Each structure stands twice: as C-alpha cells, then as structure tokens.
Amino acid sequence: MTAGGSALRDIVRARPSEEVEPARDAAALLESCRQQVRPDLEAAVGTLHPWLAEMAGYAFGWCEVGGAVSTGGEGGKGVRQALALLGAEAAGSPARHGVPAAVAVELVHVFSLLHDDVMDGDAVRRRRPTVWRAYGTGPAVLAGDGLFALAVETLAHAGSPARGSRAVRLLSGALGDLVRGQADDLLFSSRPWAGEQQVRPAEYRAMVEGKTGALLGCAAATGATLAGAAPTAVAALDRAGRSLGVAFQLADDVLGLWGDPALTGKPVHNDLRERRKTYPVLAALRSATPAGRALRVLLEQDGDPAQAAELVEEAGGRAATLAEADRHLAAAHSALAEHPPAPGAVAGLTALAEFAVRRHR
C-alpha cells in the first residue's frame, strides 16, 4: 500500500468488488496494512531496552530467542492495525494518519498477550513457546510493561497535541475495560459449571467486549481521532469495533474447540482441555437438552475433551455461538451506518467484518 493511499487500492484495482472473495480481500488488506505499519512498529520497539526489545521481537514473530531473525513469518493477523488505518480513512484522511494509532494498539495487544499467557499458564502461542516459557515469567511481565508504556508514549506524541491527548484518553478507557474484562475472565475459572453461580452467556459477552472488543474499538476510534474525525463519528467507530471484537472472539471460541491446529497453533479441543468457560460450552450448558445435561456431568468429572466437544455441538453450542457472532456483526454494521465512513474505507471495513466470522465456518 502506498503511503497515503487507500488501504484497498491494490486489492480491488481492475476487478469489481462483488467478484472478490471476502476472505481473500481481508487477507490482502491485513497484509497490506502490516507492511505499512511494521517500519514504525519496529522503530518504536527499537527504543526499548535491548533485552525487552528482543522479547518483544520474539512475541511479534520477528526473531527467535537470542535475537536471530525468524523465518516463520510475522505472528498475528494484524486486525487492530488494519482497523486503525481504516479509522483514519473513514474520516476521509490518508491511511498513514492512523499509523501511530496502529502502532499503539498493537503494542497494547501484545502487552496483553504476554500477561495473559502468564496468568493463564499457556505454554504455546502460534506454535512456539510463549514468552514466559522462553525467557521466564519475570522477564515476560517486564517486557509487557515496557510495551504498555511505549504505547502511551507513541500516542502522546502523535498528531497535534489536542488530537494526541484525545487518543491517549481513548486508549486509557480501553485499557480500563480490558483489565476489567481480564479480571472477570480469571474469576470465571473458579465458578462452577452449573447452579446459581455458573457463568451466564450474557456475562461472558460482557467480559469479551471488555477483554477483546475494547481494543478493537479503540483501534478504529484512535485512527479516526488522529485524522480529525468528529466525536460522534469516533464514537460510532468505537461501537463498531467493539461489536466486531465480540464477533471475532466468539468465532475464535469455535476454533478453540473444533479448529485445525495448523490454524490455531494450539492442540485440538485446547479450550476444553484447559477447562475454559467459552461461549459454546456455556450455551450448551444452558440449552436444557439431554446433551447439555450430559455435558455438565462430564465437565464436573473432568471427562474426555473430545467427548465434551461432541456434546457441546449436539446441544447446539456451536450453532448458538455462530448465531451470536452474526448478531454482533450486524451490530457493527448498524454502528457504521450511523456515520457512514468515507468511501475509501467501506470495502475494507466490510471485508474485515465478514472475515471476523466467516473464516471459522
């Protein structure tokens, strides 16, 4: 993508948009945005202490332990980066105006992953040892702290002082929501599978909006803010991004139970093996079906994950999750309709929205 050009210019050129498959469209968009953001992202990470910069580079997939260049490709899909650039385009500005927002939200995202992996005890991410397994718990936490501080500094110096200040406030609010969502997620692990204290699907949705949706909304909103968008348009993009984040996480929940390890980077049925209370499981438990009741007994006995996955599907957990993801996808479209984006961003936002859910079907 050329600096200042549309994020989709090279994707849709010379062919009608209706002939472009959404998944291919989104994949090309994500790659294009990563290429534009990466130089600034690498420059920002390069300002950290060399040891922290190496751990960050490892987390991003740029290098191996010890600093050797990685040949495995860049980690992560880059959805938040793309939303930040599209947020700028939605305001009618060149995509490059959203690059500092893309850098900041990507730094925060990786910061949250480093800490999440420590809290959850996850040993593998994207088919490699997690940072805490590769470097140690203390170093991983410190690297995450460094990325968080760097994200705030990046936005504080972006654009005009007024726009940079507004962007920092948006990031601060999203971080508060992310932390509250993470707190709920940790507390869910100690609650029972059934009874008055069981986790309700509505509680799970609220947790996901904070833990996942808040940062996606922040990405689009800060990109638009740095581009000078009106507050009402910024708020609409934030709502759209949050809804998209919930849809994205719900679809990831489906992958966590039935996904191909080649795509997830984790063993099949990993979420059940880790006894995580994801939406498909919660929906199945609330289904009042024989399969749902059998699932409850199996989970309480710490039974076979493969059998549990079969019961979740039989009880309607997969179908309920994808239907809920579709509802949040529709909510994202509705939010965008309140303040229609500039034409250059419409195709990109639509492709990302469809990709968020359809990639798991």
Side-chain angles (χ1 to χ4, degrees), residues 37-159:
V37 173
R38 179 161 174 173
D40 292 73
L41 187 57
E42 287 184 334
V45 170
T47 66
L48 293 170
H49 183 285
W51 190 36
L52 303 186
E54 180 189 318
M55 286 187 279
Y58 179 86
F60 280 112
W62 303 338
C63 71
E64 304 297 339
V65 175
V69 175
S70 175
T71 59
E74 188 165 351
K77 292 173 282 291
V79 172
R80 292 156 191 83
Q81 300 176 44
L83 281 172
L85 300 191
L86 289 168
E89 290 190 350
S93 292
R96 67 173 180 272
H97 291 172
V99 169
V103 170
V105 295
E106 194 67 12
L107 292 170
V108 167
H109 174 53
V110 175
F111 140 72
S112 72
L113 295 182
L114 265 61
H115 285 200
D116 280 359
D117 287 340
V118 170
M119 288 183 279
D120 295 340
D122 285 343
V124 176
R125 180 176 290 279
R126 298 166 189 152
R127 295 171 291 279
R128 295 200 304 171
T130 49
V131 174
W132 74 268
R133 285 300 299 266
Y135 291 89
T137 300
V141 171
L142 184 62
D145 292 344
L147 292 174
F148 166 67
L150 185 58
V152 175
E153 182 181 2
T154 297
L155 280 186
H157 294 93

Side-chain angles (χ1 to χ4, degrees), residues 267-338:
V268 67
H269 306 143
N270 186 67
D271 283 350
L272 281 170
R273 190 172 291 102
E274 299 292 335
R275 299 182 59 78
R276 289 178 178 153
K277 295 179 174 69
T278 59
Y279 197 91
V281 177
L282 300 178
L285 290 171
R286 299 283 290 180
S287 66
T289 62
R293 290 190 289 272
L295 175 65
R296 175 181 60 79
V297 173
L298 185 67
L299 291 172
E300 289 176 341
Q301 295 176 348
D302 201 15
D304 177 46
Q307 184 181 355
E310 292 177 2
L311 289 170
V312 171
E313 183 152 22
E314 185 179 342
R318 186 206 290 253
T321 303
L322 292 175
E324 186 67 20
D326 282 337
R327 283 191 284 273
H328 285 277
L329 189 60
H333 285 298
S334 295
L336 291 175
E338 295 177 19

